[in-house]
Every structure is written in structure tokens, then in C-alpha cells.
């Protein structure tokens, strides 16, 4: 059954204009080393799901402004669809660097852009 809820909410606001949505389940390791026999010994700290978002071209000035206000917070709550659990997961995130580029000044439209949301803690 397909998920029918909001794909992504930042600080309680549904995010508009998503073109791509990718989750990278990054594993963070501590004390990793490989012995002479080639075996790895390490302690897994946890899984840190990075959200890689792409926004479609043609978003309006108001839509881009709203997205920027959400992303420019130091830290924020993100509720996102997690295909592993087939449900919504909520965690604290921060946004990586991103660039917005004007596509049509007369109509106030923007080109597509992307941003990564990075988790503060393991999930």
C-alpha cells in the first residue's frame, strides 16, 4: 500500500515542491581498525539517516522564501516518511549549504535546487 501522508514536514510545516526524495542510511563507526588478517573490528555508533532533497524548477518567490526560512533555522524538527518502518519518523536535523537561483525575474520563478538534511542524533 502506498504512503498517503506528508512526505516531509519541517517544524510542523509541510514542504512543497519536492522533486526528489532520497534517504542515505549512513552508518557511523567508532574505534574502527583492520588487523593483519584483514578482519575489521569496530563499534557501530548508529544509523544517521541523511535526507537528500531536490526541489522542482518553477517554484514561486513565496514558496522559495518559505522553504529558505525553514532551512535557515539552526536546528529543526523533521517528520519524514521512512521506507524501513513504512511510517513517519521524527528527529532533529540541520540543513547543509544550498543555493537558490532565479530562473525568471519577471515572473518570480526559481530554478531547481537541492539540499541535504543531516540528523543531529542517531535514529
Amino acid at each position: 500500500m502506498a504512503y498517503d501522508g506528508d512526505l516531509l514536514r519541517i517544524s510542523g510545516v509541510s514542504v512543497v515542491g519536492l522533486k526528489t526524495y532520497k534517504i542515505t542510511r549512513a552508518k557511523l563507526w567508532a574505534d574502527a581498525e583492520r588487523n593483519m588478517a584483514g578482519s575489521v573490528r569496530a563499534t557501530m555508533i548508529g544509523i544517521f539517516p541523511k535526507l537528500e532533497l531536490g526541489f522542482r524548477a518553477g517554484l514561486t518567490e513565496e514558496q522559495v522564501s518559505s522553504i529558505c526560512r525553514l532551512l535557515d533555522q539552526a536546528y529543526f524538527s523533521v517528520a519524514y516518511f521512512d521506507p524501513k518502518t513504512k511510517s513517519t519518523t521524527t528527529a532533529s536535523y540541520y540543513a547543509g549549504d544550498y543555493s537558490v537561483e532565479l530562473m525568471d525575474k519577471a515572473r518570480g520563478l526559481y530554478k531547481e535546487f537541492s539540499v541535504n538534511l543531516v540528523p543531529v542524533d542517531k535514529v
Side-chain angles (χ1 to χ4, degrees):
M1 177 191 231
Y3 180 72
D4 63 354
D6 287 331
L7 195 57
L8 181 73
R9 294 179 72 81
I10 296 176
S11 298
V13 177
S14 182
V15 177
V16 299
L18 281 177
K19 179 180 176 182
T20 60
Y21 176 82
K22 179 179 175 181
I23 299 176
T24 298
R25 300 185 61 78
K27 293 180 183 178
L28 185 60
W29 299 88
D31 305 320
E33 63 182 1
R34 188 173 296 275
N35 64 23
M36 295 302 287
S39 297
V40 172
R41 300 220 193 299
T43 303
M44 190 168 95
I45 295 172
I47 303 288
F48 293 76
K50 178 174 71 173
L51 306 176
E52 300 175 45
L53 310 176
F55 292 90
R56 66 175 172 78
L59 292 177
T60 65
E61 288 177 335
E62 188 55 44
Q63 290 169 322
V64 170
S65 175
S66 176
I67 293 167
C68 289
R69 282 193 303 275
L70 292 171
L71 297 176
D72 286 352
Q73 301 173 86
Y75 300 100
F76 42 83
S77 174
V78 175
Y80 64 95
F81 175 71
D82 186 347
K84 177 183 174 186
T85 62
K86 300 180 187 176
S87 64
T88 300
T89 299
T90 302
S92 184
Y93 277 77
Y94 66 91
D97 296 343
Y98 64 97
S99 299
V100 294
E101 184 177 354
L102 193 58
M103 178 172 67
D104 186 334
K105 180 181 176 189
R107 295 187 299 161
L109 301 178
Y110 284 79
K111 291 183 178 182
E112 63 182 62
F113 67 98
S114 61
V115 65
N116 291 334
L117 303 185
V118 182
V120 174
D121 298 304
K122 67 181 177 181
V123 177

